[in-house]
Amino acid sequence: PQTVLDYGCGTGRLAAYFLPARYTGYDTSPAMLAVAAREFPRHRFLNELPAGRRFGAVVCNSMCQYLAAGPWAEALRDIAGRALRTALIETYDGPYREGQDGGDARTYIRPDADYRVILEEFGEVERRVLAPDPRGALALYTVVLYPGA
């Protein structure tokens, strides 16, 4: 892809793998973006995305499991809708549960079917298990966008 959006980039650790001219990091946390900008001063980081702006690929690493139902569905649609070709979403999935993640962050684990019902609006969806767990799995969802989506 010519351009990559790192959706929910946090401290920007994925920026190290992309040329600055092709990478945009997005996060709503000013504190996280400050760290990202300090660590990767040549890369672009935003706390707001322009309406309608699309990217060759969108990656989202370990963000979705921290969103409650409404923001979760909205974020998934925004991720897929901003991709021109491919969206990659790494998250935990499994039987629905809500709880703590060993820290202050509340987690919302959702089943594969919940991800698919939204992502299949945009393209072909493939799920790969990266780390199995009896309570769920660390999974990578790849969405190859339908032409014109």
Side-chain angles (χ1 to χ4, degrees):
Q2 293 297 313
T3 57
V4 174
L5 172 64
D6 184 359
Y7 198 101
C9 67
T11 60
R13 66 184 178 149
L14 293 181
Y17 301 99
F18 298 99
L19 294 172
R22 293 186 178 181
Y23 174 91
T24 299
Y26 162 70
D27 204 289
T28 59
S29 168
M32 294 287 197
L33 290 172
V35 172
R38 188 171 53 251
E39 294 293 319
F40 302 97
R42 295 181 55 225
H43 289 72
R44 179 180 327 117
F45 296 97
L46 306 172
N47 68 349
E48 191 174 303
L49 290 171
R53 175 74 161 95
R54 297 182 77 189
F55 299 82
V58 178
V59 297
C60 179
N61 183 30
S62 289
M63 182 198 78
C64 292
Q65 68 266 21
Y66 297 110
L67 300 175
W72 171 79
E74 184 180 314
L76 278 183
R77 286 188 175 96
D78 195 35
I79 291 165
R82 289 187 180 277
L84 291 170
R85 296 182 185 167
T86 306
L88 300 167
I89 301 161
E90 182 268 338
T91 190
Y92 286 92
D93 66 10
Y96 180 82
R97 67 184 187 280
E98 181 178 331
Q100 296 298 111
D101 187 34
D104 294 333
R106 181 160 299 284
T107 58
Y108 301 88
I109 307 300
R110 295 174 180 83
D112 173 50
D114 287 7
Y115 280 91
R116 287 181 181 280
V117 75
I118 292 175
L119 296 175
E120 287 177 346
E121 296 173 20
F122 296 91
E124 296 293 324
V125 177
E126 178 184 338
R127 175 183 178 261
R128 289 190 182 152
V129 174
L130 304 176
D133 183 304
R135 299 169 298 148
L138 176 61
L140 177 67
Y141 288 85
T142 302
V143 184
V144 178
L145 280 289
Y146 296 129

